[in-house]
Amino acid sequence: MDIQHLRAFYEVARWKSFSKAAAALYLSQPAVSRQISSLETEIGLPLFVRMANHVSLTEPGRKLLAYAEEIIRTLEQANRTIQDLRDLRQGTVTVAADRYLSNYFLPRFAGEFHRRYPSLQLQIRSHPHGDLYNLLAGGEIDLAFFCGAEPADNLPLTLEPLYQERLFLVTPAKPGSRAALKTTGLANLTTAWNSQENPARNGFPDNARIAEVMAEYSPFLFPPLADLFSKYKEFLPEEQSPADAAVTVDSLEGIKTFLLNGFGSSILPESLIKEELELGALSGVPLHCTYPVILTYPKDFRLPNPALLFIGVIHKLINT
């Protein structure tokens, strides 16, 4: 059925008058009569009983009117929703990433996004890498974020590198704790590696110095082997193995908690410990190792406005 014909039918039934229906639709009365006739021809049944000054519904007309009212009401709701989206009065952006990024990277943008667009909803979901492709393809999420391993080149995705996540060699820094930094510890690392004696270090610790720190701030807490940041093992002495670890912690968050309680040392990504480093609750020095954080969405697809606005907030905060 033509929606315009159905709307004409609804207005005639509502006003019980072709002339009043024409006025409501801003059409001429003959135009409304033609639309009703076309609809009756398509259905094959009369919808109105027409008399000199009166119009009433037939039995088929009454049956059709119930559906017409529901269809037109739903269409009007859809139009209002679309207009609200255009005017940014409502809308949702759904983003997904692995557990690390969804816990420590994406939340840093939520506050600014809400401050700018309080009527829009932001949904942050945590999923394994392998699930993100299917979620994007199925339209269940608007944006996906990857860290370290990039999506396969043959997938129809747009890949936008956002920034490089750095790994840090980290120890506790609470005054008075057992493992508080000494003058010979991490506090002097950067100075040592920038000195003329070590011109090739460019401010980064070498494996021998890392071994010294590991011995001084024992035990070393190995990040989970299944974690994305597995390249940290390149910086450890060959004799160090997770299999021989005195203490094993199965999450990055757990390792940070141990360090905050003055216990051990580890290698952790910057976003996880950024606030603690700035507050002096932990001490750390960057390693010469980074992982790209990549924004991903379907190629040749126009993103909805809320998603574009969230991307804009990310770019603004990363570049300031």
Side-chain angles (χ1 to χ4, degrees), residues 80-140:
R80 285 194 298 270
T81 298
I82 295 300
Q83 187 59 49
D84 285 348
L85 291 173
R86 290 196 188 106
D87 298 339
L88 298 180
R89 288 194 292 264
Q90 65 171 288
T92 302
V93 53
T94 303
V95 303
D98 63 72
R99 188 176 68 173
Y100 173 74
L101 290 182
S102 61
N103 286 347
Y104 295 101
F105 175 73
L106 293 175
R108 72 170 74 167
F109 309 107
E112 179 67 11
F113 182 76
H114 179 69
R115 185 187 69 79
R116 290 189 177 202
Y117 313 106
S119 61
L120 301 182
Q121 291 183 317
L122 172 63
Q123 296 181 354
I124 299 177
R125 296 167 55 179
S126 178
H127 292 276
H129 270 207
D131 294 347
L132 297 178
Y133 311 120
N134 293 333
L135 293 171
L136 281 172
E140 295 183 52

Side-chain angles (χ1 to χ4, degrees), residues 69-248:
E69 289 174 340
E70 182 177 354
I71 291 170
I72 291 171
R73 183 170 57 252
T74 301
L75 182 61
E76 289 175 348
Q77 289 174 345
N79 286 332
R80 285 194 298 270
T81 298
I82 295 300
Q83 187 59 49
D84 285 348
L85 291 173
R86 290 196 188 106
D87 298 339
L88 298 180
R89 288 194 292 264
Q90 65 171 288
T92 302
V93 53
T94 303
V95 303
D98 63 72
R99 188 176 68 173
Y100 173 74
L101 290 182
S102 61
N103 286 347
Y104 295 101
F105 175 73
L106 293 175
R108 72 170 74 167
F109 309 107
E112 179 67 11
F113 182 76
H114 179 69
R115 185 187 69 79
R116 290 189 177 202
Y117 313 106
S119 61
L120 301 182
Q121 291 183 317
L122 172 63
Q123 296 181 354
I124 299 177
R125 296 167 55 179
S126 178
H127 292 276
H129 270 207
D131 294 347
L132 297 178
Y133 311 120
N134 293 333
L135 293 171
L136 281 172
E140 295 183 52
I141 59 175
D142 299 306
L143 309 170
F145 294 82
F146 293 84
C147 186
E150 296 188 15
D153 293 336
N154 60 344
L155 295 174
L157 299 173
T158 296
L159 307 180
E160 181 182 339
L162 295 175
Y163 93 115
Q164 295 290 325
E165 177 75 88
R166 298 186 297 175
L167 292 186
F168 273 66
L169 176 61
V170 189
T171 69
K174 288 184 178 180
S177 69
R178 180 184 63 80
L181 288 178
K182 304 173 184 177
T183 56
T184 57
L186 282 179
N188 292 328
L189 278 179
T190 302
T191 301
W193 278 287
N194 279 330
S195 69
Q196 292 184 352
E197 298 176 3
N198 300 282
R201 293 296 94 200
N202 297 319
F204 299 96
D206 59 19
N207 289 24
R209 188 67 179 94
I210 291 173
E212 293 178 21
V213 172
M214 290 173 62
E216 183 173 357
Y217 300 103
S218 177
F220 182 80
L221 304 174
F222 288 87
L225 292 180
D227 194 80
L228 294 174
F229 306 101
S230 58
K231 285 196 293 186
Y232 78 87
K233 289 179 286 187
E234 300 173 6
F235 297 89
L236 303 182
E238 291 184 2
E239 63 273 13
Q240 294 287 344
S241 169
D244 301 322
V247 177
T248 301

Side-chain angles (χ1 to χ4, degrees), residues 291-308:
Y291 288 82
V293 175
I294 302 168
L295 165 65
T296 312
Y297 49 88
K299 189 176 292 185
D300 302 323
F301 175 75
R302 188 186 185 283
L303 289 171
N305 282 340
L308 293 173

